Amino acid sequence: MPNQRRSLHRSKEAIVAVAAVVGALTLAWRLASPGETDQAAATAPASVVAVPATARTTSVPEATTSAARPAALPAGLTADQWQTLQQRVEPGPLHDREVARIVDFLEFQQDVVHLRELRADPGALDERRALAARIDAGIATHLALQEISAPEATLLKTAVLAETEPDPTQRATRLADWRRQWASDHPPTIDPRVAEYRRQEAAAVAAWQSGPPSQRDPAQLARRLQQLQSAAFDPRP
Amino acid sequence: MSHCQTVRTAMLFPSRTAARPECTAPDAAATRPAPRRRAPIARWLAAAALVVAMPAQAAWFVWTMVELPMSSGASCGNGTPYRFFVNTTPFSGNTAITFEGGGACWAQRACEGQGQYSATNPDGIPTNYMSQVNSAAGGLVTPFSARLDPFQGVSTQGWNLVYMPYCTGDVHTGNQVAVFSEADPANPRVQHFAGQANVRAASAWLRQHLGRPSQLMLTGFSAGGVAATAEYAVVRDALAPTGKTTLLADSGPLFNAPLGGTAAQYPSLPLQTKIRSTWGLDGPQGLIPALMQTLPGLDRNNMGSLNVALAQKYPNDRFGYMLFQADATFSGFSYYDFYPAIQNQPDPNVQKQMMNVLWRQDIAQWTPTLASQPNVSWWIPFYRDFNNSHCLTIVDFSGTGIEDQGYGDVSPFIDANLSHGAVLRKTEADQASDLTRPLSLAMTILSIVLSLFG
């Protein structure tokens, strides 16, 4: 079991690493390709610290005939959506991979919707179980890619267990175990800047409190704290 | 500093200096009239220009983290950076914004996250917050903040999603820094009530980087419900949506509580008096003076007048308010600290009953006010055996029906508000059937898990 867990853990790390590399490359590509920034971003002053890679228009562009179309549309996508997707994912060496990622996610989403719709159908037990198994197999990947949040994953896991684990106590136990394991594997990130800020904040407050109450200027302390915050957390120009 | 007061042993003072007014974002300026407000406007535009994004992965359908710069005034309660999350789709120009709930605080221990009535995320928002299973509200995701939900479908799941975590203890509205030391003088808690700055800076970021949405929906549960209401004008004016705009405030009512009244008349008056001073809501750059400049119908002596003021200012928008009559959590925050008879009551069931009497008095005085506006609706079922009947839109909508009027759950209310259809004003009369109504499968499982896992 420990070996299996280590292997699983390594697999998860590999997925996360791949996701991070894809994300970094996508980010780099977008930063180098400002073509789809909206007007505000395009006219932003030079003092903007960073142009977020997420900048883009929110209006859906009109479809063109130049978009590549597969022989059969991916499940869950209309022809217009497929064209929109082709257009709105930036061109470049990562384009096809990114489109494939999104298509995979949309298929996963369609499975989830389908399972939801079938829940009220007592005659669809086998289909629901098959869907549940497929969803279960995809949760870790979509979590690692940050396409779903951990609370969303909890709901998905709950839905999966509702189909695959008949015993209510076992369902809850398995869900609790999954949550516990996930939490253990993914503790809150620690911001290395916080410890130093804490020390400086404590010193500033202590100095402020050391004076007689009549001489404690709250505004002065507020300004000092904000200086410390900016120095600790804001990027240097 | 006339607004500065001592609360218990806390020292309160206005928050933050202006951030680099020389930086502006021209596009956002189009939504900012009123020359009188030039200095604050410059501050927020500067904030917009200084926003820092740290996308964990920049792509469609990915939860992407945005960290706001401290120079914008944004901050978590513990002084660390405020972070929010965006999940975009190429298939929609609509945006749904969810304000997270999780208590509130006006004292040291509560701001440190300790006690029954305390504030969530006292240690701030980690960069991987969306990967935490035990985030605020036990990680009980709302269908409005889920792209994928196997139990509850809503139309907004196809929209651009924005999730605003809660870490300031001020229902996302404050503008003041406090030093609390009454519980532990040797280790004071410096609390940055910076909710208002967070919302303004996040709104500026959204406008700058996502553009004007077509449809816009603001929602939130518990403290987030208050935030969605209180910050509605701020966000709406910043984003300037081109289409239908809707508020769906879940279990975070702003009841009528005019200053000069009495607690006997207005049970939420002591609470509102406390938070106005502690969170700096009336300060020079506080939320109430800011809203006074944009909402002619707002009575600065009565925060509850915001419901009407919003409806009047935005007559084409829809405003939907939801809560349970038996809500034992928001009523706890509203009354427990302010009514000694409740605090001193040894029997917790009697204590709940005492708070519920006040809660129902507040509701009874609230709905007639809401009824004065044609674009305001409400949905007030009796009870759900989950989370102390607090919040209708967490996990799923089961148990939120008003069956005695033919409604199985809150979905018709949600849909009607989002589509700007019928104005539904429903209050459940049946005070018995909900008590024996079974929980949904999802809630049953999650109830057990939460009892096992916390």
Side-chain angles (χ1 to χ4, degrees):
Chain A
M1 282 301 286
N3 283 340
Q4 283 179 338
R5 196 150 52 216
R6 272 199 297 275
S7 175
L8 182 64
H9 192 65
R10 277 197 296 272
S11 298
K12 287 178 181 173
E13 288 176 340
I15 291 170
V16 171
V18 168
V21 169
V22 170
L25 290 172
T26 306
L27 171 61
W29 175 258
R30 291 187 174 199
L31 286 173
S33 307
E36 270 208 343
T37 55
D38 66 9
Q39 187 180 1
T43 57
S47 57
V48 171
V49 173
V51 178
T54 50
R56 53 204 160 198
T57 58
T58 53
S59 59
V60 178
E62 291 181 11
T64 68
T65 55
S66 62
R69 179 184 294 201
L73 285 171
L77 280 182
T78 65
D80 284 349
Q81 285 177 324
W82 175 248
Q83 286 187 322
T84 298
L85 192 57
Q86 289 289 341
Q87 286 181 319
R88 303 204 74 188
V89 174
E90 281 81 351
L94 295 176
H95 176 275
D96 290 350
R97 185 186 297 182
E98 179 66 355
V99 169
R101 178 192 69 77
I102 293 173
V103 167
D104 185 58
F105 172 74
L106 294 173
E107 287 177 348
F108 184 68
Q109 182 181 40
Q110 191 184 43
D111 281 348
V112 173
V113 171
H114 198 193
L115 178 63
R116 188 173 72 216
E117 291 169 347
L118 287 177
R119 182 161 296 109
D121 182 357
L125 188 60
D126 289 344
E127 191 177 358
R128 291 206 312 261
R129 282 183 178 157
L131 274 172
R134 209 153 66 210
I135 291 168
D136 199 24
I139 290 175
T141 300
H142 294 292
L143 254 175
L145 291 169
Q146 298 178 38
E147 293 167 340
I148 57 175
S149 66
E152 284 177 286
T154 300
L155 286 183
L156 293 174
K157 201 74 182 175
T158 305
V160 165
L161 288 168
E163 302 300 336
T164 59
E165 175 53 68
D167 180 62
T169 306
Q170 275 300 311
R171 271 184 210 154
T173 302
R174 287 178 60 185
L175 184 61
D177 287 346
W178 178 84
R179 280 169 56 101
R180 194 176 290 113
Q181 187 62 51
W182 178 264
S184 171
D185 292 345
H186 301 84
T189 51
I190 295 173
D191 187 337
R193 302 169 296 181
V194 171
E196 178 58 21
Y197 170 72
R198 281 271 159 274
R199 279 191 290 274
Q200 294 179 353
E201 179 196 75
V205 172
W208 182 76
Q209 288 181 319
S210 66
S214 61
Q215 293 180 17
R216 293 177 193 168
D217 179 4
Q220 188 179 29
L221 179 60
R223 284 193 296 273
R224 177 63 183 143
L225 291 177
Q226 192 175 11
Q227 287 171 355
L228 293 175
Q229 286 180 305
S230 288
F233 298 111
D234 286 347
R236 300 290 182 273
Chain B
M1 300 296 169
S2 60
H3 63 285
C4 297
Q5 299 177 27
T6 299
V7 178
R8 298 189 182 170
T9 59
M11 289 302 295
L12 307 173
F13 41 92
S15 172
R16 302 166 192 291
T17 55
R20 294 174 58 175
E22 71 275 15
C23 302
T24 59
D27 184 61
T31 64
R32 306 279 181 170
R36 298 172 55 195
R37 301 183 60 212
R38 190 163 293 152
I41 289 168
R43 174 183 175 185
W44 294 117
L45 293 180
L50 286 167
V51 161
V52 178
M54 296 174 59
Q57 187 183 38
W60 308 108
F61 300 115
V62 168
W63 285 106
T64 302
M65 185 271 291
V66 178
E67 179 178 305
L68 298 171
M70 312 304 297
S71 54
S72 70
S75 173
C76 274
N78 69 340
T80 58
Y82 181 74
R83 302 177 173 110
F84 68 101
F85 297 84
V86 180
N87 184 316
T88 54
T89 169
F91 303 134
S92 175
N94 302 335
T95 297
I97 300 175
T98 301
F99 288 94
E100 185 175 74
C105 70
W106 38 83
Q108 182 171 5
R109 290 301 185 221
C111 288
E112 292 169 344
Q114 300 177 41
Q116 182 182 9
Y117 300 114
S118 59
T120 194
N121 291 321
D123 299 324
I125 304 298
T127 56
N128 64 343
Y129 188 65
M130 298 304 269
S131 297
Q132 301 300 299
V133 287
N134 206 22
S135 50
L140 300 176
V141 68
T142 159
F144 294 120
S145 61
R147 177 75 69 201
L148 301 183
D149 193 318
F151 296 104
Q152 190 69 59
V154 290
S155 61
T156 53
Q157 286 160 1
W159 295 16
N160 297 295
L161 304 177
V162 179
Y163 192 70
M164 299 284 290
Y166 180 42
C167 58
T168 47
D170 60 359
V171 299
H172 302 263
T173 62
N175 187 52
Q176 191 150 260
V177 177
V179 178
F180 293 113
S181 57
E182 76 279 6
D184 185 357
N187 297 288
R189 165 80 180 188
V190 180
Q191 183 72 15
H192 299 253
F193 292 118
Q196 189 196 174
N198 296 343
V199 174
R200 287 186 183 275
S203 299
W205 188 95
L206 292 171
R207 174 63 189 270
Q208 186 173 17
H209 299 293
L210 299 187
R212 295 174 67 180
S214 304
Q215 290 191 58
L216 173 65
M217 189 229 10
L218 269 66
T219 188
F221 54 90
S222 190
V226 187
T229 308
E231 300 284 10
Y232 184 88
V234 171
V235 178
R236 194 202 187 291
D237 289 352
L239 298 190
T242 58
K244 291 171 182 165
T245 306
T246 304
L247 169 70
L248 288 169
D250 179 10
S251 302
L254 269 173
F255 289 136
N256 289 311
L259 301 178
T262 67
Q265 294 172 300
Y266 305 102
S268 286
L269 181 59
L271 165 73
Q272 291 192 17
T273 303
K274 169 67 83 179
I275 63 175
R276 288 177 74 141
S277 62
T278 307
W279 299 344
L281 303 185
D282 290 298
Q285 295 186 32
L287 185 63
I288 292 175
L291 291 178
M292 287 293 294
Q293 297 193 35
T294 60
L295 300 174
L298 181 64
D299 175 1
R300 74 175 306 147
N301 290 319
N302 180 11
M303 289 173 63
S305 67
L306 182 60
N307 306 293
V308 167
L310 287 172
Q312 291 174 338
K313 168 79 176 186
Y314 308 105
N316 296 320
D317 294 3
R318 285 299 183 84
F319 300 87
Y321 299 94
M322 301 165 267
L323 51 81
F324 282 105
Q325 296 166 43
D327 189 324
T329 297
F330 202 94
S331 59
F333 277 97
S334 299
Y335 314 123
Y336 181 85
D337 271 4
F338 309 105
Y339 291 85
I342 293 174
Q343 274 188 353
N344 297 330
Q345 170 53 244
D347 184 333
N349 288 326
V350 175
Q351 202 173 59
K352 276 188 181 179
Q353 289 167 11
M354 295 169 72
M355 293 193 292
N356 191 251
V357 168
L358 301 179
W359 181 250
R360 285 173 183 268
Q361 181 183 343
D362 266 333
I363 294 173
Q365 294 173 165
W366 184 51
T367 49
T369 308
L370 301 181
S372 68
Q373 302 305 310
N375 52 343
V376 177
S377 56
W378 65 81
W379 189 266
I380 309 180
F382 165 48
Y383 171 88
R384 176 163 77 168
D385 186 19
F386 187 76
N387 198 37
N388 279 326
S389 294
H390 181 49
C391 301
L392 288 77
T393 62
I394 54 173
V395 184
D396 63 28
F397 298 162
S398 64
T400 61
I402 298 185
E403 287 80 2
D404 58 8
Q405 296 179 51
Y407 295 95
D409 67 26
V410 72
S411 293
F413 179 80
I414 302 288
D415 294 342
N417 273 290
L418 286 171
S419 66
H420 288 197
V423 174
L424 299 176
R425 295 170 169 176
K426 304 294 178 187
T427 302
E428 190 162 43
D430 182 350
Q431 301 288 296
S433 300
D434 282 355
L435 296 171
T436 55
R437 219 175 288 283
L439 288 174
S440 70
L441 179 65
M443 289 193 171
T444 303
I445 298 174
L446 286 170
S447 290
I448 300 171
V449 168
L450 290 176
S451 67
L452 291 172
F453 189 78

